[in-house]
Amino acid sequence: MSRRRVVSIFVVAAVAMATGFLVAGQAKVQLLTPSNQVARYQALVRSVQELEASNADSRQKIAALRAQIDALEAAAAQRSASTQALQSKVADLRARAALTPLSGPGVEIDLADGVPGPDSTGGSGYQVNFKDVQDLVNLLFAEGAEGIAVNGHRITPLSYFSGSGGEVIVDQGPPINAPIKLQAVGNRTRMEAALDDPSVLPDIRAREVQFQLQVSFSGGPDYSLPAYDSSLETSHVSPL
Amino acid sequence: MSALFKRQASSRAISVWLIALLVALVATIQIRSQAEVERSFAGTDTTSLAFLIDNLHRANDSLQAETADLTQQEATLQSGGDTAASQVLTDEANRLRAAEGLVPVDGPGVVLVVNATGLGALDLQDALNNLGIGGAEAIAVNDRRFVVGVPIEQTQGGVTVGGALVPVPWTISVIGDANRLAQAADLMTQSLRADRRVREATYRVEADVVIRAVVSERPFVYGVAP
């Protein structure tokens, strides 16, 4: 084998090795980094899913425990008139705290995302957000609602709304996204009139025009709202 | 010899093709699955997911505490007689009256003072909602009790809470977990001070905040509870 041929074999080998390292390096940057990101995403999403499952499980347990306690209290009330009076008072208080189902006439409101468009509020103006839900709940209570549910989650005297972007969190519930349905039982006539009034809910009205945010409502003679199934935390407050 | 060489060459070519096919298949599956996962999280960054996890942890802790309380109540009812039942019902009535704002209450918390021109009903509604997120268990604005259901409205005369005018400065008394409320109040006052309309936004933590204002009891007119 000539010397020239040996040199050329070495040159080809060196070029092949360099190409191999370059390709491997590129693959590492382009494939491994995203795959690490994906793994991190997957781990975080798995955590969210596990926590949501635990959340749903706890809420089911709470609902079951409240039903068992109701039954035990009812049994105790049958044995004593004073306990019966007390139980009746507690039942009344529980109804107003949204701890029992409620039915009656009312309205149903459907909220759905609009169409993305030029937006000065960071690009999420087309989405239904927690403030929309909060504003609607406040309006409905002001107009005679006696009970409200957001996607089947009852609003209590201590309820709060949070979330970011198009995510809405009510109390300790999991995040929900549009479409969102609000149901309110109460003075149907007043609630319908308020929802028809173009001067109320100015932010929502403006986004209906700008982003085609979808807001529709209808009234009905009989809606059924479920009982609140989460925590009504009052461990720091004491009656005087 | 030539036939053997041809057979070897064709089997080598098939092997190369098979390996190439396998590599292409694996690469396609890998790229597709990555794209699929990325698509499912489109718009959700890791910070949002971490925030969500934090919220869910807190929510689940709260739900577990409620489950423990209810289990205790159930055990008391099962083991005791009428006296135990009366005690459970009395405690529950007191707890619900406090939650519904029907009785004066006290407890640890914070007192915020906000003095500003041009703040409206929505600003107050947002502030009270933020305090709710921070764990508020009882709230009063200028000695007007607030619970969800008490309307906050904008009128020509100013902001009303439950129909009563609450002129600035707003003194917001809040009872709950003082540490969590202090964090919420700190963020709120910082944000308010950045608003040019706000002249004053301060808060103080107190061991015993007293709220004497109450909400009047409203019977259901339309709704029917079972």
Side-chain angles (χ1 to χ4, degrees), chain B residues 136-187:
Chain B
E137 296 173 17
I139 300 179
V141 182
N142 290 8
D143 290 326
R144 291 280 159 190
R145 189 73 169 266
F146 171 79
V147 292
V148 174
V150 170
I152 298 171
E153 290 170 299
Q154 188 68 48
T155 66
Q156 284 189 330
V159 179
T160 62
V161 174
L165 204 62
V166 285
V168 289
W170 291 330
T171 301
I172 308 173
S173 307
V174 194
I175 298 174
D177 180 334
N179 290 329
R180 276 183 66 199
L181 284 174
Q183 282 175 12
D186 198 42
L187 287 172

Short mmCIF file of all heavy atoms in Angstrom, two decimals, chain B residues 136-187:
data_model
loop_
_atom_site.label_atom_id
_atom_site.label_comp_id
_atom_site.label_asym_id
_atom_site.label_seq_id
_atom_site.Cartn_x
_atom_site.Cartn_y
_atom_site.Cartn_z
N ALA B 136 -58.92 34.57 53.67
CA ALA B 136 -59.81 35.35 54.53
C ALA B 136 -61.01 34.52 54.96
O ALA B 136 -61.63 33.84 54.14
CB ALA B 136 -60.28 36.60 53.80
N GLU B 137 -61.33 34.58 56.24
CA GLU B 137 -62.50 33.85 56.75
C GLU B 137 -63.61 34.81 57.18
O GLU B 137 -64.75 34.40 57.37
CB GLU B 137 -62.08 32.97 57.93
CG GLU B 137 -61.09 31.88 57.49
CD GLU B 137 -60.50 31.10 58.66
OE1 GLU B 137 -61.07 31.16 59.77
OE2 GLU B 137 -59.46 30.45 58.46
N ALA B 138 -63.25 36.08 57.36
CA ALA B 138 -64.24 37.12 57.65
C ALA B 138 -63.66 38.45 57.20
O ALA B 138 -62.47 38.70 57.38
CB ALA B 138 -64.56 37.17 59.14
N ILE B 139 -64.50 39.28 56.58
CA ILE B 139 -64.03 40.56 56.03
C ILE B 139 -65.04 41.66 56.35
O ILE B 139 -66.26 41.43 56.30
CB ILE B 139 -63.86 40.50 54.49
CG1 ILE B 139 -62.84 39.42 54.08
CG2 ILE B 139 -63.45 41.84 53.91
CD1 ILE B 139 -62.64 39.28 52.57
N ALA B 140 -64.53 42.85 56.67
CA ALA B 140 -65.40 44.03 56.77
C ALA B 140 -64.69 45.20 56.10
O ALA B 140 -63.47 45.33 56.19
CB ALA B 140 -65.69 44.36 58.22
N VAL B 141 -65.47 46.00 55.37
CA VAL B 141 -64.94 47.21 54.74
C VAL B 141 -65.63 48.39 55.41
O VAL B 141 -66.86 48.50 55.36
CB VAL B 141 -65.23 47.24 53.22
CG1 VAL B 141 -64.62 48.48 52.58
CG2 VAL B 141 -64.71 45.98 52.55
N ASN B 142 -64.85 49.27 56.02
CA ASN B 142 -65.41 50.42 56.75
C ASN B 142 -66.58 49.97 57.64
O ASN B 142 -67.66 50.57 57.63
CB ASN B 142 -65.89 51.52 55.78
CG ASN B 142 -64.74 52.21 55.09
OD1 ASN B 142 -63.58 51.79 55.22
ND2 ASN B 142 -65.02 53.26 54.34
N ASP B 143 -66.35 48.91 58.38
CA ASP B 143 -67.36 48.36 59.30
C ASP B 143 -68.63 47.87 58.60
O ASP B 143 -69.70 47.83 59.20
CB ASP B 143 -67.72 49.40 60.39
CG ASP B 143 -66.56 49.58 61.35
OD1 ASP B 143 -65.84 48.60 61.61
OD2 ASP B 143 -66.36 50.72 61.81
N ARG B 144 -68.49 47.50 57.34
CA ARG B 144 -69.60 46.83 56.62
C ARG B 144 -69.12 45.40 56.36
O ARG B 144 -68.10 45.20 55.69
CB ARG B 144 -69.89 47.51 55.27
CG ARG B 144 -70.48 48.85 55.40
CD ARG B 144 -71.96 48.76 55.68
NE ARG B 144 -72.45 49.98 56.29
CZ ARG B 144 -73.66 50.10 56.82
NH1 ARG B 144 -74.49 49.07 56.82
NH2 ARG B 144 -74.05 51.24 57.34
N ARG B 145 -69.89 44.43 56.82
CA ARG B 145 -69.48 43.03 56.66
C ARG B 145 -69.61 42.62 55.20
O ARG B 145 -70.60 42.96 54.54
CB ARG B 145 -70.37 42.14 57.55
CG ARG B 145 -69.93 40.70 57.65
CD ARG B 145 -68.68 40.56 58.49
NE ARG B 145 -68.39 39.17 58.82
CZ ARG B 145 -68.77 38.56 59.92
NH1 ARG B 145 -69.50 39.19 60.81
NH2 ARG B 145 -68.42 37.30 60.15
N PHE B 146 -68.61 41.88 54.74
CA PHE B 146 -68.68 41.37 53.36
C PHE B 146 -68.54 39.86 53.35
O PHE B 146 -67.64 39.30 53.99
CB PHE B 146 -67.57 41.98 52.49
CG PHE B 146 -67.48 41.32 51.14
CD1 PHE B 146 -68.36 41.64 50.13
CD2 PHE B 146 -66.54 40.31 50.91
CE1 PHE B 146 -68.31 41.00 48.90
CE2 PHE B 146 -66.48 39.66 49.68
CZ PHE B 146 -67.37 40.01 48.67
N VAL B 147 -69.45 39.19 52.67
CA VAL B 147 -69.28 37.78 52.29
C VAL B 147 -69.69 37.71 50.82
O VAL B 147 -70.34 38.63 50.32
CB VAL B 147 -70.17 36.80 53.11
CG1 VAL B 147 -69.73 36.72 54.56
CG2 VAL B 147 -71.64 37.16 52.99
N VAL B 148 -69.29 36.65 50.13
CA VAL B 148 -69.69 36.51 48.71
C VAL B 148 -71.22 36.40 48.69
O VAL B 148 -71.80 35.61 49.44
CB VAL B 148 -69.03 35.29 48.06
CG1 VAL B 148 -69.56 35.08 46.64
CG2 VAL B 148 -67.53 35.47 48.03
N GLY B 149 -71.84 37.21 47.87
CA GLY B 149 -73.30 37.28 47.85
C GLY B 149 -73.76 38.67 48.26
O GLY B 149 -74.83 39.11 47.88
N VAL B 150 -72.91 39.37 49.02
CA VAL B 150 -73.20 40.77 49.34
C VAL B 150 -72.69 41.59 48.16
O VAL B 150 -71.49 41.59 47.87
CB VAL B 150 -72.47 41.20 50.64
CG1 VAL B 150 -72.57 42.71 50.84
CG2 VAL B 150 -73.04 40.46 51.84
N PRO B 151 -73.60 42.26 47.45
CA PRO B 151 -73.14 42.95 46.23
C PRO B 151 -72.26 44.17 46.50
O PRO B 151 -72.52 44.93 47.44
CB PRO B 151 -74.44 43.34 45.54
CG PRO B 151 -75.50 43.22 46.55
CD PRO B 151 -75.04 42.33 47.65
N ILE B 152 -71.24 44.31 45.67
CA ILE B 152 -70.42 45.53 45.68
C ILE B 152 -70.77 46.26 44.40
O ILE B 152 -70.61 45.71 43.31
CB ILE B 152 -68.92 45.16 45.68
CG1 ILE B 152 -68.59 44.37 46.95
CG2 ILE B 152 -68.06 46.41 45.58
CD1 ILE B 152 -67.20 43.78 46.95
N GLU B 153 -71.29 47.47 44.54
CA GLU B 153 -71.77 48.16 43.34
C GLU B 153 -71.21 49.59 43.23
O GLU B 153 -70.86 50.20 44.24
CB GLU B 153 -73.30 48.22 43.36
CG GLU B 153 -73.91 46.84 43.14
CD GLU B 153 -75.40 46.81 43.40
OE1 GLU B 153 -75.83 47.10 44.53
OE2 GLU B 153 -76.15 46.51 42.45
N GLN B 154 -71.17 50.05 41.99
CA GLN B 154 -70.72 51.41 41.72
C GLN B 154 -71.97 52.28 41.58
O GLN B 154 -72.83 52.00 40.76
CB GLN B 154 -69.91 51.43 40.42
CG GLN B 154 -69.22 52.72 40.12
CD GLN B 154 -68.09 53.03 41.10
OE1 GLN B 154 -67.27 52.17 41.37
NE2 GLN B 154 -68.10 54.24 41.65
N THR B 155 -72.06 53.30 42.41
CA THR B 155 -73.18 54.23 42.28
C THR B 155 -72.61 55.63 42.03
O THR B 155 -71.40 55.82 42.08
CB THR B 155 -74.03 54.26 43.58
OG1 THR B 155 -73.21 54.81 44.62
CG2 THR B 155 -74.50 52.88 43.97
N GLN B 156 -73.52 56.56 41.79
CA GLN B 156 -73.04 57.94 41.54
C GLN B 156 -72.32 58.50 42.76
O GLN B 156 -71.38 59.28 42.65
CB GLN B 156 -74.21 58.83 41.16
CG GLN B 156 -74.66 58.58 39.72
CD GLN B 156 -75.65 59.59 39.25
OE1 GLN B 156 -76.43 60.12 40.04
NE2 GLN B 156 -75.66 59.85 37.94
N GLY B 157 -72.77 58.06 43.94
CA GLY B 157 -72.16 58.57 45.18
C GLY B 157 -70.87 57.86 45.53
O GLY B 157 -70.17 58.26 46.45
N GLY B 158 -70.57 56.77 44.86
CA GLY B 158 -69.36 56.00 45.16
C GLY B 158 -69.64 54.51 45.22
O GLY B 158 -70.65 54.03 44.71
N VAL B 159 -68.75 53.80 45.90
CA VAL B 159 -68.87 52.34 45.96
C VAL B 159 -69.75 51.95 47.15
O VAL B 159 -69.63 52.53 48.24
CB VAL B 159 -67.47 51.71 46.13
CG1 VAL B 159 -67.57 50.20 46.23
CG2 VAL B 159 -66.58 52.11 44.97
N THR B 160 -70.64 50.99 46.91
CA THR B 160 -71.47 50.50 48.01
C THR B 160 -71.18 49.03 48.27
O THR B 160 -70.87 48.27 47.35
CB THR B 160 -72.98 50.67 47.71
OG1 THR B 160 -73.29 49.87 46.56
CG2 THR B 160 -73.38 52.10 47.47
N VAL B 161 -71.28 48.66 49.54
CA VAL B 161 -71.17 47.25 49.93
C VAL B 161 -72.50 46.90 50.60
O VAL B 161 -72.85 47.48 51.62
CB VAL B 161 -70.00 47.03 50.91
CG1 VAL B 161 -69.99 45.60 51.44
CG2 VAL B 161 -68.67 47.34 50.25
N GLY B 162 -73.22 46.00 49.98
CA GLY B 162 -74.54 45.64 50.51
C GLY B 162 -75.49 46.82 50.59
O GLY B 162 -76.29 46.93 51.51
N GLY B 163 -75.33 47.76 49.64
CA GLY B 163 -76.23 48.90 49.58
C GLY B 163 -75.77 50.10 50.41
O GLY B 163 -76.33 51.19 50.30
N ALA B 164 -74.74 49.93 51.23
CA ALA B 164 -74.26 51.04 52.07
C ALA B 164 -73.00 51.63 51.45
O ALA B 164 -72.09 50.89 51.03
CB ALA B 164 -73.97 50.55 53.48
N LEU B 165 -72.97 52.95 51.40
CA LEU B 165 -71.82 53.65 50.82
C LEU B 165 -70.56 53.42 51.67
O LEU B 165 -70.61 53.50 52.90
CB LEU B 165 -72.14 55.14 50.76
CG LEU B 165 -71.40 55.97 49.73
CD1 LEU B 165 -71.70 55.51 48.31
CD2 LEU B 165 -71.79 57.44 49.89
N VAL B 166 -69.45 53.11 51.00
CA VAL B 166 -68.18 52.97 51.74
C VAL B 166 -67.16 53.94 51.12
O VAL B 166 -66.38 53.58 50.25
CB VAL B 166 -67.65 51.50 51.72
CG1 VAL B 166 -68.43 50.61 52.64
CG2 VAL B 166 -67.64 50.92 50.31
N PRO B 167 -67.17 55.20 51.63
CA PRO B 167 -66.25 56.18 51.05
C PRO B 167 -64.81 55.89 51.42
O PRO B 167 -64.54 55.27 52.45
CB PRO B 167 -66.72 57.50 51.68
CG PRO B 167 -67.45 57.13 52.91
CD PRO B 167 -67.97 55.74 52.74
N VAL B 168 -63.86 56.35 50.58
CA VAL B 168 -62.44 56.20 50.91
C VAL B 168 -62.11 57.14 52.06
O VAL B 168 -62.74 58.18 52.19
CB VAL B 168 -61.52 56.47 49.69
CG1 VAL B 168 -61.65 55.36 48.69
CG2 VAL B 168 -61.81 57.84 49.08
N PRO B 169 -61.12 56.84 52.89
CA PRO B 169 -60.25 55.67 52.84
C PRO B 169 -60.97 54.39 53.26
O PRO B 169 -61.84 54.41 54.13
CB PRO B 169 -59.14 56.02 53.85
CG PRO B 169 -59.77 56.99 54.79
CD PRO B 169 -60.75 57.76 53.98
N TRP B 170 -60.62 53.29 52.57
CA TRP B 170 -61.20 52.01 52.93
C TRP B 170 -60.34 51.35 54.02
O TRP B 170 -59.13 51.18 53.83
CB TRP B 170 -61.21 51.07 51.72
CG TRP B 170 -62.17 51.45 50.65
CD1 TRP B 170 -63.36 52.12 50.80
CD2 TRP B 170 -62.04 51.22 49.24
NE1 TRP B 170 -63.97 52.31 49.59
CE2 TRP B 170 -63.17 51.76 48.61
CE3 TRP B 170 -61.08 50.60 48.46
CZ2 TRP B 170 -63.37 51.70 47.24
CZ3 TRP B 170 -61.27 50.54 47.09
CH2 TRP B 170 -62.40 51.08 46.48
N THR B 171 -60.99 51.01 55.11
CA THR B 171 -60.31 50.22 56.14
C THR B 171 -60.86 48.81 56.03
O THR B 171 -62.05 48.59 56.27
CB THR B 171 -60.57 50.81 57.54
OG1 THR B 171 -60.09 52.15 57.55
CG2 THR B 171 -59.85 50.01 58.61
N ILE B 172 -60.02 47.90 55.61
CA ILE B 172 -60.47 46.53 55.35
C ILE B 172 -59.93 45.62 56.46
O ILE B 172 -58.72 45.42 56.57
CB ILE B 172 -60.00 46.04 53.96
CG1 ILE B 172 -60.39 47.05 52.88
CG2 ILE B 172 -60.59 44.67 53.66
CD1 ILE B 172 -59.83 46.74 51.49
N SER B 173 -60.84 45.14 57.30
CA SER B 173 -60.44 44.25 58.40
C SER B 173 -60.65 42.81 57.94
O SER B 173 -61.73 42.47 57.43
CB SER B 173 -61.30 44.52 59.63
OG SER B 173 -61.26 45.88 59.95
N VAL B 174 -59.63 41.99 58.14
CA VAL B 174 -59.70 40.62 57.63
C VAL B 174 -59.23 39.64 58.70
O VAL B 174 -58.19 39.85 59.33
CB VAL B 174 -58.78 40.44 56.39
CG1 VAL B 174 -59.11 39.16 55.65
CG2 VAL B 174 -58.87 41.62 55.46
N ILE B 175 -59.98 38.57 58.89
CA ILE B 175 -59.58 37.52 59.84
C ILE B 175 -59.26 36.25 59.06
O ILE B 175 -59.96 35.90 58.11
CB ILE B 175 -60.71 37.26 60.87
CG1 ILE B 175 -60.98 38.53 61.68
CG2 ILE B 175 -60.34 36.10 61.80
CD1 ILE B 175 -62.18 38.43 62.61
N GLY B 176 -58.20 35.58 59.49
CA GLY B 176 -57.80 34.33 58.84
C GLY B 176 -56.39 33.97 59.28
O GLY B 176 -55.90 34.47 60.30
N ASP B 177 -55.73 33.13 58.50
CA ASP B 177 -54.33 32.77 58.77
C ASP B 177 -53.48 34.04 58.56
O ASP B 177 -53.31 34.50 57.43
CB ASP B 177 -53.91 31.66 57.81
CG ASP B 177 -52.47 31.22 58.00
OD1 ASP B 177 -51.67 32.03 58.50
OD2 ASP B 177 -52.16 30.07 57.65
N ALA B 178 -52.95 34.57 59.68
CA ALA B 178 -52.28 35.88 59.62
C ALA B 178 -51.07 35.86 58.68
O ALA B 178 -50.82 36.86 57.99
CB ALA B 178 -51.86 36.32 61.01
N ASN B 179 -50.35 34.75 58.63
CA ASN B 179 -49.17 34.70 57.76
C ASN B 179 -49.55 34.78 56.29
O ASN B 179 -48.97 35.54 55.51
CB ASN B 179 -48.37 33.41 58.00
CG ASN B 179 -47.71 33.43 59.35
OD1 ASN B 179 -47.33 34.48 59.85
ND2 ASN B 179 -47.57 32.26 59.96
N ARG B 180 -50.53 33.96 55.91
CA ARG B 180 -50.97 33.97 54.51
C ARG B 180 -51.59 35.33 54.15
O ARG B 180 -51.36 35.87 53.07
CB ARG B 180 -52.00 32.86 54.27
CG ARG B 180 -51.36 31.51 53.99
CD ARG B 180 -52.42 30.49 53.69
NE ARG B 180 -53.13 30.77 52.45
CZ ARG B 180 -54.33 30.26 52.15
NH1 ARG B 180 -54.94 29.45 53.00
NH2 ARG B 180 -54.90 30.54 51.01
N LEU B 181 -52.40 35.86 55.07
CA LEU B 181 -53.04 37.15 54.80
C LEU B 181 -52.01 38.26 54.68
O LEU B 181 -52.16 39.16 53.84
CB LEU B 181 -54.05 37.49 55.91
CG LEU B 181 -55.37 36.72 55.86
CD1 LEU B 181 -56.21 37.03 57.09
CD2 LEU B 181 -56.16 37.07 54.60
N ALA B 182 -50.96 38.19 55.51
CA ALA B 182 -49.91 39.22 55.44
C ALA B 182 -49.22 39.18 54.08
O ALA B 182 -48.92 40.22 53.50
CB ALA B 182 -48.90 39.02 56.56
N GLN B 183 -48.98 37.96 53.58
CA GLN B 183 -48.36 37.85 52.24
C GLN B 183 -49.25 38.47 51.17
O GLN B 183 -48.79 39.23 50.31
CB GLN B 183 -48.13 36.38 51.89
CG GLN B 183 -46.92 35.78 52.58
CD GLN B 183 -46.80 34.28 52.30
OE1 GLN B 183 -47.49 33.75 51.44
NE2 GLN B 183 -45.94 33.63 53.04
N ALA B 184 -50.55 38.14 51.26
CA ALA B 184 -51.50 38.68 50.27
C ALA B 184 -51.58 40.20 50.39
O ALA B 184 -51.55 40.92 49.38
CB ALA B 184 -52.88 38.06 50.48
N ALA B 185 -51.64 40.69 51.64
CA ALA B 185 -51.75 42.14 51.87
C ALA B 185 -50.50 42.85 51.39
O ALA B 185 -50.57 43.96 50.83
CB ALA B 185 -51.99 42.41 53.34
N ASP B 186 -49.34 42.23 51.58
CA ASP B 186 -48.08 42.82 51.15
C ASP B 186 -48.07 43.02 49.63
O ASP B 186 -47.75 44.11 49.14
CB ASP B 186 -46.92 41.91 51.58
CG ASP B 186 -45.61 42.63 51.59
OD1 ASP B 186 -45.58 43.79 52.04
OD2 ASP B 186 -44.61 42.06 51.10
N LEU B 187 -48.43 41.97 48.91
CA LEU B 187 -48.47 42.05 47.45
C LEU B 187 -49.48 43.11 46.99
O LEU B 187 -49.21 43.89 46.08
CB LEU B 187 -48.84 40.70 46.84
CG LEU B 187 -47.75 39.63 46.88
CD1 LEU B 187 -48.31 38.28 46.44
CD2 LEU B 187 -46.59 40.03 45.96
#
